[in-house]
Amino acid sequence: MKAKAFLLVGLLVAATCAAMAYANRGTGVTVIQVATTPNPVGHSPKTGIVTLTGELAQEKIHASGDRMFDLVLTLTADEVLAPQQAQGKPVDMVVVLDRSGSMSGEKIRDAKKAVKGLMEGLRNQDRFALVTYSNSVEGGENLYYLTQDKRNILTAMVDSIPANGGTNLGAGLQRGIGVLESFGESSRMGKIILISDGQANEGVTDPRALADMAGQRKGGVQYSVTTVGLGQDFNEQLMATVADGGRGRYYYLENPRDFLAVFKEEANWTRSVAASALSIHLPLPQGVEVVSASGYPVINKETGAYIAPGGLLSGQTRTLYVRLQAPENVEESLNLSGINASYVHEGKTLTAMCPGAFNVQVTHDALAALRSIEKETWESKVLNADYNALKEEVAADIKAGDKEQAMERIDQYRQSVQVQNSVVGSVAVDENLQQDVQALMGTVEDTFEGDAPAVAAKQKSVSKSMQYDGYKNRRGIR
């Protein structure tokens, strides 16, 4: 009996090491023990409209080679806008529309119709600008209140837009940013909606450089950049990266008739923002880095890590799953404290502090580490963060035509989670493995069946829809 028990523990330890190697690409035998220090007596009371809290997914985590641990952060904005206030909040809206040759036909017709529909839906206190781009850029001379005369002029301008030439997406984005920086006001919320159906093939084409462009802010004007990819030929990684850099959202549209719904949703979202320009700062012990944060941009500096998750609507709660990595020469204990989130509300920059501290100690009991997993927090992390990150990775494999890598990635993920769940015992995670993960493997198999033209077409469609689904769910966008 003792021999069987010893064998079970040995198998769990070995399987855990193999599973963690997939999840974090590391090896080793160290374990970290994690505990949360209670909120200290006399902690400063809340002074703004945002509350920030945190909890760890487990009290003891495996650090043998991977040295990873997960922190779940929750941001909540107060209900500061009554429905009528949100509807009346002034918005500066700039549409940056692709008019390259690939947009000809149904795409440009539906885009024009949607722009005109957006103008009809904007209110007298809102302002609007239209920028169009192909090889060159046109429009964006000012932000206009939509009086009837101005609506007539802009409608005629929209109707006359041609579709030809290349795709200088960077120049269009820069013009849209310039409009808000030149004519925007700090008392108003700005929004840029960047639309493309193709590849950025002229001017600035590097996704990181375009994201940096979208993230620039001057003159105290608050705005976000939302991107819309249309059809099967645009670069979904580029559009998602630009949206993240611009603290906005990314949409994938298969049908151009859905343009107007996106425009209306973004206008309503912009009117309801209570806390914009969110930036979470995690002061970190030396050598500790943030690896990921629900897919949002992360910058690791000497002063710690900075996460840019966009904005919070009035009354909204958002959860971020933050994965951190300790250094190889991890000390006997680590301390994470002073985590905070800065944001802008009604023109003022405010800060929300995360109460308490998160203490990390080293242990060498791998089985105890598994048993220390907090079931509900870990379950939420797996279903919302880990599984959707897997879908984004598999989507990239499908796009690259690498079926073998996609299937291997899914299998390694399944084994990793199975090992942990053999101890945790989450029914929801088991169902995810038996149903969703199995269906994901079936999708990969189906994508690569058929002749070369059929497979190529399915690769484009499946990779975009799967990437978009993972992107939305990982961030909690519905």
Side-chain angles (χ1 to χ4, degrees):
M1 193 71 176
K2 289 183 179 179
K4 288 183 179 179
F6 181 81
L7 178 60
L8 175 61
V9 171
L11 288 172
L12 277 169
V13 170
T16 301
C17 292
M20 293 297 184
Y22 159 69
N24 307 299
R25 314 299 197 271
T27 58
V29 291
T30 309
V31 175
I32 290 179
Q33 178 176 324
V34 182
T36 304
T37 299
N39 185 23
V41 176
H43 180 79
S44 300
K46 177 182 168 187
T47 57
I49 65 156
V50 173
T51 301
L52 172 64
T53 60
E55 59 182 328
L56 291 150
Q58 60 193 87
E59 293 181 355
K60 303 173 185 177
I61 57 177
H62 200 269
S64 61
D66 51 75
R67 306 172 307 284
M68 299 281 187
F69 56 103
D70 296 290
L71 177 65
V72 182
L73 296 176
T74 301
L75 292 149
T76 301
D78 294 344
E79 284 277 7
V80 295
L81 295 175
Q84 62 270 22
Q85 288 177 301
Q87 290 300 313
K89 193 174 182 179
V91 172
D92 288 339
M93 182 76 69
V94 181
V95 172
V96 180
L97 176 63
D98 184 351
R99 55 174 169 82
S100 62
S102 58
M103 283 288 291
S104 61
E106 180 185 10
K107 293 178 184 177
I108 197 67
R109 286 196 299 270
D110 285 330
K112 290 178 181 182
K113 182 178 179 181
V115 170
K116 289 186 286 187
L118 171 63
M119 289 192 296
E120 287 299 318
L122 293 177
R123 293 156 173 70
N124 292 335
Q125 62 267 44
D126 298 328
R127 297 189 296 178
F128 176 77
L130 176 64
V131 174
T132 67
Y133 68 95
S134 57
N135 304 90
S136 59
V137 181
E138 294 183 2
E141 292 80 12
N142 207 332
L143 283 163
Y144 299 104
Y145 288 101
L146 293 176
T147 63
Q148 190 57 55
D149 287 346
K150 184 54 65 175
R151 288 177 191 272
N152 293 338
I153 293 171
L154 287 169
T155 296
M157 174 181 150
V158 170
D159 287 335
S160 66
I161 295 172
N164 54 62
T167 308
N168 194 336
L169 183 149
L173 174 60
Q174 189 64 69
R175 178 70 64 84
I177 292 170
V179 174
L180 288 178
E181 290 183 345
S182 298
F183 307 106
E185 299 174 2
S186 59
S187 61
R188 306 169 68 89
M189 183 60 66
K191 169 68 68 175
I192 296 171
I193 302 180
L194 173 68
I195 301 163
S196 180
D197 77 326
Q199 305 288 323
N201 53 27
E202 294 191 17
V204 180
T205 59
D206 177 68
R208 188 66 262 163
L210 290 166
D212 290 343
M213 184 187 298
Q216 68 187 35
R217 298 290 185 274
K218 296 179 182 178
V221 177
Q222 292 298 315
Y223 63 89
S224 59
V225 179
T226 283
T227 62
V228 182
L230 175 64
Q232 304 300 329
D233 296 316
F234 71 94
N235 184 332
E236 62 270 28
Q237 278 78 28
L238 181 149
M239 297 298 271
T241 300
V242 172
D244 281 341
R247 297 180 178 180
R249 299 196 288 182
Y250 152 66
Y251 293 84
Y252 162 49
L253 298 185
E254 291 186 86
N255 193 324
R257 289 192 294 273
D258 295 329
F259 267 132
L260 183 55
V262 170
F263 288 169
K264 288 181 177 179
E265 181 175 338
E266 283 299 299
N268 292 333
W269 189 94
T270 305
R271 290 190 182 97
S272 302
V273 171
S276 61
L278 271 171
S279 178
I280 300 172
H281 176 212
L282 286 80
L284 299 174
Q286 186 174 3
V288 176
E289 292 189 345
V290 171
V291 177
S292 63
S294 292
Y296 289 106
V298 175
I299 300 176
N300 286 289
K301 298 182 178 180
E302 290 186 3
T303 54
Y306 294 83
I307 304 166
L312 272 176
L313 305 185
S314 177
Q316 184 183 21
T317 294
R318 289 171 61 188
T319 301
L320 273 69
Y321 301 90
V322 183
R323 172 152 288 187
L324 302 98
Q325 182 175 38
E328 290 185 6
N329 59 341
V330 59
E331 300 286 339
E332 289 187 0
S333 65
L334 296 171
N335 182 278
L336 277 67
S337 61
I339 298 171
N340 62 86
S342 65
Y343 60 96
V344 176
H345 173 66
E346 294 185 348
K348 297 179 181 179
T349 299
L350 303 171
T351 301
M353 297 297 301
C354 183
F358 303 93
N359 298 314
V360 182
Q361 290 87 38
V362 176
T363 181
H364 295 279
D365 190 340
L367 185 57
L370 283 175
R371 287 174 175 165
S372 76
I373 292 174
E374 203 291 312
K375 182 176 178 179
E376 290 186 2
T377 304
W378 178 81
E379 180 181 274
S380 176
K381 178 186 76 75
V382 171
L383 299 179
N384 293 290
D386 298 347
Y387 176 60
N388 286 298
L390 171 68
K391 287 198 289 188
E392 289 191 73
E393 292 173 345
V394 171
D397 293 334
I398 291 173
K399 183 177 181 178
D402 197 338
K403 175 186 175 183
E404 183 177 347
Q405 175 61 44
M407 297 298 280
E408 182 180 349
R409 191 186 303 279
I410 297 170
D411 189 57
Q412 288 177 340
Y413 171 86
R414 181 172 58 185
Q415 291 183 44
S416 171
V417 177
Q418 277 179 335
V419 168
Q420 297 169 76
N421 203 39
S422 66
V423 176
V424 179
S426 166
V427 174
V429 168
D430 185 62
E431 290 177 349
N432 172 255
L433 293 173
Q434 298 301 320
Q435 300 174 19
D436 300 329
V437 173
Q438 192 64 34
L440 188 62
M441 297 184 77
T443 298
V444 175
E445 288 283 4
D446 179 71
T447 300
F448 289 93
E449 289 181 357
D451 56 25
V455 169
K458 285 190 287 185
Q459 278 180 256
K460 285 184 177 182
S461 176
V462 172
S463 64
K464 282 180 171 56
S465 59
M466 186 182 294
Q467 181 264 348
Y468 184 50
D469 195 47
Y471 170 93
K472 287 193 304 178
N473 294 332
R474 198 175 174 193
R475 290 161 174 77
I477 299 172
R478 298 293 182 264

